[in-house]
Amino acid sequence: MTEIWQNALHELKEKVSAHTWETWFKTISVIQIEAGVAELEVSDDFIKAWIEDNYLDLIGEALQTVTDRKWKVSLRARGASAQNDDVAVDLSSNRVAARQSRSTEPLDQRDIFVSPRLDWRERALESGMNPKYTFDEFVVGGSNQFVHAACSAVAANPATVYNPLFIFGGVGLGKTHLLQAVGCEILRRDPTQRVLYLSSEAFMNQLITSLRNRDMNSFRMQFRNDCDVLLIDDIQFIGGKDSTQEEFFHTFNALHQAGKQIVMTSDRPPRELPGIEDRLASRFSWGLIADVQVPSVETRMAILEKKAEADGIPLAKDVALLIASAIRSNVRELEGTLIRLGAQASLTSTPLTVDFAKEMLRRMNIEDGRHVTIDRIIKLVASRFDIKPSDIKGARRSRDISIPRQIAMYLSRLHTEDSFPQIGRKFGGKDHTSVMAACRRMDQEITGRSDISEIIAELESQLR
Ligand code: ADP
Ligand code: MG
């Protein structure tokens, strides 16, 4: 009797994904299999309803295959677990819409009970994502409002609004976070969705392995058939990798035609990606392109405060402002600095005050940021011309000193937020008119494409 069921299970295993099998079939037990009637038991009403709605025919067919006769399959929920007061299953939409019936409060999305067996967080982990990267954890400000809205829209209506969605922007600005937030949100709404998250490098590596093992079928199966949502991080890496692009091109087409959502991130917009074929770049632009910009100081503070709260780091406003002012262009660095400061304060039992934070930042060599400062510019230019920083700040006007000085003033004006008078002061107390004159002069050099303009370009690339 159980042998029939074991054989049927074996059949089923071939027909559904491993995940579906684990989730739904493995837990079924047999009450009776006799005379064309199979009575099966599962642990609760929810699973019973789900299987009845989705897999009853499949089970019948499997039984028929292994016994060569027709079966009537019935399911039972174990014990008296039928008190489904707080769970309503809306099977017509193939989704679970459950609510806390006694509560009159608005339904909190996070509290939707789906199934203990199909937790979206577990599904997120299986999909290659970090369940912490959710929209809830993402701070929205002017710099990311648009891309955040685009991501939310896609997560709420996969493959209907923007397909593909292409996100681009600088390092550490939250692209990966947003990409995974889309995946997490889709799974939270419907944990049966098959979401695949991976970097384009991982895509390439899997491709190489599959080619080596002559197993392209399962590679294509995985990406083209067994996938409802494809999230590809850092697509720029496939630039110049011809066979990866070729394969990705077909994956993209197959998914897009099948009405599956694709979201990608990149460090730059599609048309500026080096080594990417035109046909791919044009497809990347089919849907919506949204960029993540550098957050304002207010947003940086809000991110710090959110992170501090999550990690239990006591963070005063003035300390948040200090850190947010020191680290401007990378949220990852912002968070990393906060965690280091928090750890230092806690290890040395020192309160995280502005003075403490200043001292730590100085030691961590960030002071006013590892960003461009006038001092850094002066040092850089001095070493390029093999003179001393004090020469640049000094008063000598010989050409071998005055040209580097003017270059340094020009770069300071361009790459720091200091005004002409401030720059003058930091160059050993010079008048703002000399700074202005230096900038005019260098502008002319640049437009004239002289040797000096080349030196300036070289210095600028070192500054970044
Ligand atoms: P990118 O992929 O653009 O290099 P990440 O998504 O990896 O950047 O973000 C770096 C870190 O900064 C992550 O820990 C992420 O959670 C955090 N982060 C970035 N932007 C935000 C934001 N707006 N709100 C909250 N955390 C953010
Ligand atoms: Mg990233």
CSV table of all heavy atoms in Angstrom, one decimal, residues 132-133 137-141 143-144 169-179 233-234 265 292 295 299 302-303 306-307 330-333 335, ligand 1:
chain,number,residue,atom,x,y,z
A,132,LYS,N,17.3,41.0,4.6
A,132,LYS,CA,17.4,42.3,5.2
A,132,LYS,C,17.2,43.4,4.2
A,132,LYS,O,16.9,44.5,4.6
A,132,LYS,CB,18.7,42.4,6.0
A,132,LYS,CG,18.7,41.8,7.3
A,132,LYS,CD,19.8,42.4,8.2
A,132,LYS,CE,20.6,41.3,8.8
A,132,LYS,NZ,22.0,41.7,9.1
A,133,TYR,N,17.5,43.1,3.0
A,133,TYR,CA,17.5,44.2,2.0
A,133,TYR,C,16.0,44.4,1.5
A,133,TYR,O,15.6,43.9,0.4
A,133,TYR,CB,18.4,43.9,0.8
A,133,TYR,CG,19.8,44.1,1.0
A,133,TYR,CD1,20.8,43.5,0.3
A,133,TYR,CD2,20.3,44.9,2.1
A,133,TYR,CE1,22.2,43.7,0.5
A,133,TYR,CE2,21.6,45.1,2.3
A,133,TYR,CZ,22.5,44.5,1.5
A,133,TYR,OH,23.9,44.7,1.8
A,137,GLU,N,13.7,48.8,4.9
A,137,GLU,CA,15.1,49.1,5.4
A,137,GLU,C,15.7,50.2,4.6
A,137,GLU,O,16.8,50.6,4.9
A,137,GLU,CB,16.0,47.9,5.5
A,137,GLU,CG,15.5,46.8,6.5
A,137,GLU,CD,15.4,47.4,7.9
A,137,GLU,OE1,16.3,48.1,8.3
A,137,GLU,OE2,14.5,47.1,8.6
A,138,PHE,N,15.1,50.6,3.5
A,138,PHE,CA,15.6,51.6,2.6
A,138,PHE,C,15.2,53.0,2.9
A,138,PHE,O,14.0,53.2,3.0
A,138,PHE,CB,15.3,51.2,1.2
A,138,PHE,CG,16.1,51.9,0.1
A,138,PHE,CD1,17.4,51.5,-0.2
A,138,PHE,CD2,15.6,53.0,-0.5
A,138,PHE,CE1,18.1,52.1,-1.1
A,138,PHE,CE2,16.3,53.7,-1.5
A,138,PHE,CZ,17.6,53.2,-1.8
A,139,VAL,N,16.1,53.9,3.1
A,139,VAL,CA,15.7,55.3,3.4
A,139,VAL,C,15.5,56.0,2.1
A,139,VAL,O,16.4,56.0,1.2
A,139,VAL,CB,16.8,56.0,4.2
A,139,VAL,CG1,16.5,57.4,4.4
A,139,VAL,CG2,16.9,55.2,5.6
A,140,VAL,N,14.4,56.6,1.9
A,140,VAL,CA,14.1,57.3,0.7
A,140,VAL,C,14.3,58.8,0.8
A,140,VAL,O,13.9,59.4,1.8
A,140,VAL,CB,12.6,57.1,0.2
A,140,VAL,CG1,12.3,57.8,-1.1
A,140,VAL,CG2,12.3,55.6,0.2
A,141,GLY,N,15.1,59.4,-0.1
A,141,GLY,CA,15.3,60.8,-0.2
A,141,GLY,C,15.3,61.3,-1.6
A,141,GLY,O,15.1,60.5,-2.5
A,143,SER,N,17.5,61.8,-3.7
A,143,SER,CA,18.5,61.1,-4.5
A,143,SER,C,18.1,59.8,-5.1
A,143,SER,O,18.6,59.3,-6.1
A,143,SER,CB,19.8,60.9,-3.8
A,143,SER,OG,19.6,60.1,-2.6
A,144,ASN,N,17.1,59.2,-4.4
A,144,ASN,CA,16.7,57.9,-4.8
A,144,ASN,C,15.2,57.7,-4.9
A,144,ASN,O,14.7,56.6,-5.1
A,144,ASN,CB,17.3,56.8,-3.9
A,144,ASN,CG,16.9,57.1,-2.4
A,144,ASN,OD1,15.8,57.6,-2.2
A,144,ASN,ND2,17.8,56.8,-1.5
A,169,GLY,N,24.0,53.6,-11.2
A,169,GLY,CA,24.5,54.6,-10.3
A,169,GLY,C,25.9,54.2,-9.7
A,169,GLY,O,26.3,53.0,-9.9
A,170,GLY,N,26.4,55.0,-8.9
A,170,GLY,CA,27.8,54.8,-8.3
A,170,GLY,C,27.9,53.7,-7.3
A,170,GLY,O,26.8,53.2,-6.9
A,171,VAL,N,29.1,53.5,-6.8
A,171,VAL,CA,29.3,52.4,-5.9
A,171,VAL,C,28.7,52.8,-4.5
A,171,VAL,O,28.8,53.9,-4.0
A,171,VAL,CB,30.9,52.3,-5.7
A,171,VAL,CG1,31.2,51.2,-4.7
A,171,VAL,CG2,31.5,51.9,-7.0
A,172,GLY,N,28.1,51.8,-3.9
A,172,GLY,CA,27.7,51.9,-2.5
A,172,GLY,C,26.5,52.8,-2.4
A,172,GLY,O,26.2,53.4,-1.3
A,173,LEU,N,25.7,53.0,-3.4
A,173,LEU,CA,24.5,53.9,-3.3
A,173,LEU,C,23.2,53.2,-3.1
A,173,LEU,O,22.1,53.8,-3.2
A,173,LEU,CB,24.5,54.8,-4.5
A,173,LEU,CG,25.7,55.8,-4.7
A,173,LEU,CD1,25.4,56.7,-5.9
A,173,LEU,CD2,25.8,56.6,-3.4
A,174,GLY,N,23.2,51.8,-3.0
A,174,GLY,CA,22.0,51.1,-2.7
A,174,GLY,C,21.4,50.4,-3.9
A,174,GLY,O,20.2,50.0,-3.8
A,175,LYS,N,22.2,50.2,-4.9
A,175,LYS,CA,21.6,49.4,-6.1
A,175,LYS,C,21.3,48.0,-5.8
A,175,LYS,O,20.2,47.5,-6.0
A,175,LYS,CB,22.6,49.5,-7.3
A,175,LYS,CG,22.9,50.8,-7.8
A,175,LYS,CD,23.8,50.8,-9.0
A,175,LYS,CE,25.2,50.1,-8.7
A,175,LYS,NZ,26.0,50.9,-7.7
A,176,THR,N,22.2,47.3,-5.1
A,176,THR,CA,22.0,45.9,-4.8
A,176,THR,C,20.8,45.8,-3.8
A,176,THR,O,20.0,44.9,-3.9
A,176,THR,CB,23.3,45.3,-4.2
A,176,THR,OG1,24.3,45.3,-5.2
A,176,THR,CG2,23.0,43.9,-3.7
A,177,HIS,N,20.8,46.8,-2.8
A,177,HIS,CA,19.7,46.8,-1.8
A,177,HIS,C,18.4,46.9,-2.5
A,177,HIS,O,17.5,46.1,-2.3
A,177,HIS,CB,20.0,47.9,-0.9
A,177,HIS,CG,19.0,48.0,0.3
A,177,HIS,ND1,19.4,48.3,1.6
A,177,HIS,CD2,17.7,47.7,0.4
A,177,HIS,CE1,18.4,48.2,2.4
A,177,HIS,NE2,17.3,47.9,1.7
A,178,LEU,N,18.2,47.8,-3.4
A,178,LEU,CA,17.0,48.0,-4.1
A,178,LEU,C,16.6,46.8,-5.0
A,178,LEU,O,15.4,46.4,-5.0
A,178,LEU,CB,17.0,49.3,-5.0
A,178,LEU,CG,16.8,50.6,-4.3
A,178,LEU,CD1,17.1,51.7,-5.2
A,178,LEU,CD2,15.4,50.7,-3.8
A,179,LEU,N,17.6,46.3,-5.7
A,179,LEU,CA,17.3,45.1,-6.5
A,179,LEU,C,16.8,43.9,-5.7
A,179,LEU,O,15.8,43.3,-6.1
A,179,LEU,CB,18.7,44.7,-7.2
A,179,LEU,CG,18.6,43.6,-8.2
A,179,LEU,CD1,17.8,44.0,-9.4
A,179,LEU,CD2,20.0,43.2,-8.7
A,233,ASP,N,22.6,41.5,-11.0
A,233,ASP,CA,23.3,42.6,-10.4
A,233,ASP,C,24.6,42.9,-11.1
A,233,ASP,O,25.2,41.9,-11.6
A,233,ASP,CB,23.7,42.2,-8.9
A,233,ASP,CG,23.7,43.4,-8.0
A,233,ASP,OD1,23.7,44.6,-8.5
A,233,ASP,OD2,23.8,43.2,-6.8
A,234,ASP,N,25.0,44.1,-11.3
A,234,ASP,CA,26.2,44.5,-11.9
A,234,ASP,C,26.4,43.9,-13.3
A,234,ASP,O,27.4,43.3,-13.6
A,234,ASP,CB,27.4,44.1,-11.0
A,234,ASP,CG,27.4,44.9,-9.7
A,234,ASP,OD1,27.2,46.1,-9.8
A,234,ASP,OD2,27.6,44.3,-8.6
A,265,THR,N,21.1,45.9,-12.5
A,265,THR,CA,21.8,47.1,-12.0
A,265,THR,C,23.1,47.2,-12.8
A,265,THR,O,23.6,46.2,-13.4
A,265,THR,CB,22.1,47.0,-10.5
A,265,THR,OG1,23.2,46.0,-10.4
A,265,THR,CG2,20.9,46.7,-9.7
A,292,VAL,N,20.4,56.0,-9.4
A,292,VAL,CA,20.5,56.3,-8.0
A,292,VAL,C,21.6,57.3,-7.8
A,292,VAL,O,22.7,57.1,-8.3
A,292,VAL,CB,21.0,55.0,-7.2
A,292,VAL,CG1,20.7,55.2,-5.7
A,292,VAL,CG2,20.5,53.8,-7.7
A,295,PRO,N,23.2,60.6,-2.0
A,295,PRO,CA,22.2,61.1,-1.1
A,295,PRO,C,22.7,62.5,-0.5
A,295,PRO,O,23.9,62.7,-0.3
A,295,PRO,CB,22.1,60.1,-0.1
A,295,PRO,CG,23.3,59.2,-0.1
A,295,PRO,CD,23.8,59.3,-1.5
A,299,THR,N,19.6,63.0,3.9
A,299,THR,CA,19.4,61.5,3.7
A,299,THR,C,20.5,60.7,4.3
A,299,THR,O,20.2,59.7,4.9
A,299,THR,CB,19.2,61.2,2.2
A,299,THR,OG1,18.3,62.1,1.6
A,299,THR,CG2,18.8,59.8,2.0
A,302,ALA,N,19.7,60.4,7.9
A,302,ALA,CA,18.6,59.5,8.1
A,302,ALA,C,19.0,58.1,8.0
A,302,ALA,O,18.6,57.2,8.8
A,302,ALA,CB,17.4,59.8,7.1
A,303,ILE,N,19.9,57.8,7.0
A,303,ILE,CA,20.4,56.4,6.9
A,303,ILE,C,21.2,56.0,8.1
A,303,ILE,O,21.0,54.9,8.7
A,303,ILE,CB,21.3,56.3,5.6
A,303,ILE,CG1,20.4,56.5,4.4
A,303,ILE,CG2,22.0,54.9,5.6
A,303,ILE,CD1,21.2,56.6,3.1
A,306,LYS,N,18.8,55.3,11.0
A,306,LYS,CA,18.1,54.0,10.9
A,306,LYS,C,19.0,52.9,11.2
A,306,LYS,O,18.7,51.9,11.9
A,306,LYS,CB,17.6,53.9,9.4
A,306,LYS,CG,16.9,52.6,9.2
A,306,LYS,CD,15.8,52.9,8.2
A,306,LYS,CE,14.8,51.7,8.2
A,306,LYS,NZ,13.4,52.1,8.1
A,307,LYS,N,20.2,53.0,10.7
A,307,LYS,CA,21.2,51.9,10.9
A,307,LYS,C,21.6,51.8,12.4
A,307,LYS,O,21.7,50.7,12.9
A,307,LYS,CB,22.5,52.2,10.0
A,307,LYS,CG,23.5,51.1,10.0
A,307,LYS,CD,23.1,50.0,9.1
A,307,LYS,CE,24.0,48.8,9.2
A,307,LYS,NZ,23.4,47.6,8.7
A,330,ASN,N,29.3,57.5,-0.5
A,330,ASN,CA,29.2,56.1,-0.5
A,330,ASN,C,28.5,55.6,0.8
A,330,ASN,O,29.0,55.8,1.9
A,330,ASN,CB,30.6,55.5,-0.5
A,330,ASN,CG,30.6,54.0,-0.7
A,330,ASN,OD1,29.7,53.3,-0.1
A,330,ASN,ND2,31.5,53.4,-1.4
A,331,VAL,N,27.3,55.1,0.7
A,331,VAL,CA,26.5,54.7,1.8
A,331,VAL,C,27.1,53.5,2.5
A,331,VAL,O,27.1,53.4,3.8
A,331,VAL,CB,25.0,54.4,1.4
A,331,VAL,CG1,24.2,53.9,2.6
A,331,VAL,CG2,24.4,55.6,0.8
A,332,ARG,N,27.8,52.6,1.8
A,332,ARG,CA,28.4,51.5,2.4
A,332,ARG,C,29.5,52.0,3.4
A,332,ARG,O,29.6,51.5,4.5
A,332,ARG,CB,29.0,50.6,1.4
A,332,ARG,CG,29.5,49.2,2.0
A,332,ARG,CD,30.1,48.3,0.9
A,332,ARG,NE,29.0,47.9,-0.1
A,332,ARG,CZ,29.1,48.1,-1.4
A,332,ARG,NH1,30.2,48.7,-1.9
A,332,ARG,NH2,28.2,47.8,-2.2
A,333,GLU,N,30.3,53.0,2.9
A,333,GLU,CA,31.3,53.5,3.8
A,333,GLU,C,30.7,54.2,5.0
A,333,GLU,O,31.2,54.1,6.1
A,333,GLU,CB,32.1,54.5,3.0
A,333,GLU,CG,33.6,54.2,2.9
A,333,GLU,CD,34.3,55.2,2.0
A,333,GLU,OE1,34.3,55.0,0.8
A,333,GLU,OE2,34.7,56.3,2.5
A,335,GLU,N,27.9,53.5,6.5
A,335,GLU,CA,27.5,52.5,7.5
A,335,GLU,C,28.7,51.8,8.2
A,335,GLU,O,28.7,51.6,9.4
A,335,GLU,CB,26.8,51.3,6.8
A,335,GLU,CG,25.4,51.7,6.3
A,335,GLU,CD,24.7,50.5,5.7
A,335,GLU,OE1,25.3,49.5,5.4
A,335,GLU,OE2,23.5,50.6,5.5
B,1,ADP,P1,25.6,49.3,-4.5
B,1,ADP,O1,25.0,48.0,-4.9
B,1,ADP,O2,25.0,50.5,-5.2
B,1,ADP,O3,27.1,49.4,-4.5
B,1,ADP,P2,24.5,48.5,-1.9
B,1,ADP,O4,23.1,48.3,-2.3
B,1,ADP,O5,25.4,47.4,-1.7
B,1,ADP,O6,25.2,49.5,-3.0
B,1,ADP,O7,24.5,49.5,-0.6
B,1,ADP,C1,25.6,49.6,0.2
B,1,ADP,C2,25.1,49.6,1.7
B,1,ADP,O8,24.4,50.8,1.9
B,1,ADP,C3,24.1,48.5,2.0
B,1,ADP,O9,24.3,48.0,3.2
B,1,ADP,C4,22.7,49.1,1.9
B,1,ADP,O10,21.8,48.5,2.7
B,1,ADP,C5,23.1,50.5,2.3
B,1,ADP,N1,22.2,51.6,1.7
B,1,ADP,C6,22.4,52.2,0.5
B,1,ADP,N2,21.5,53.1,0.3
B,1,ADP,C7,20.6,53.0,1.3
B,1,ADP,C8,19.4,53.7,1.7
B,1,ADP,N3,18.9,54.7,0.9
B,1,ADP,N4,18.8,53.4,2.9
B,1,ADP,C9,19.3,52.4,3.7
B,1,ADP,N5,20.5,51.8,3.4
B,1,ADP,C10,21.1,52.0,2.3
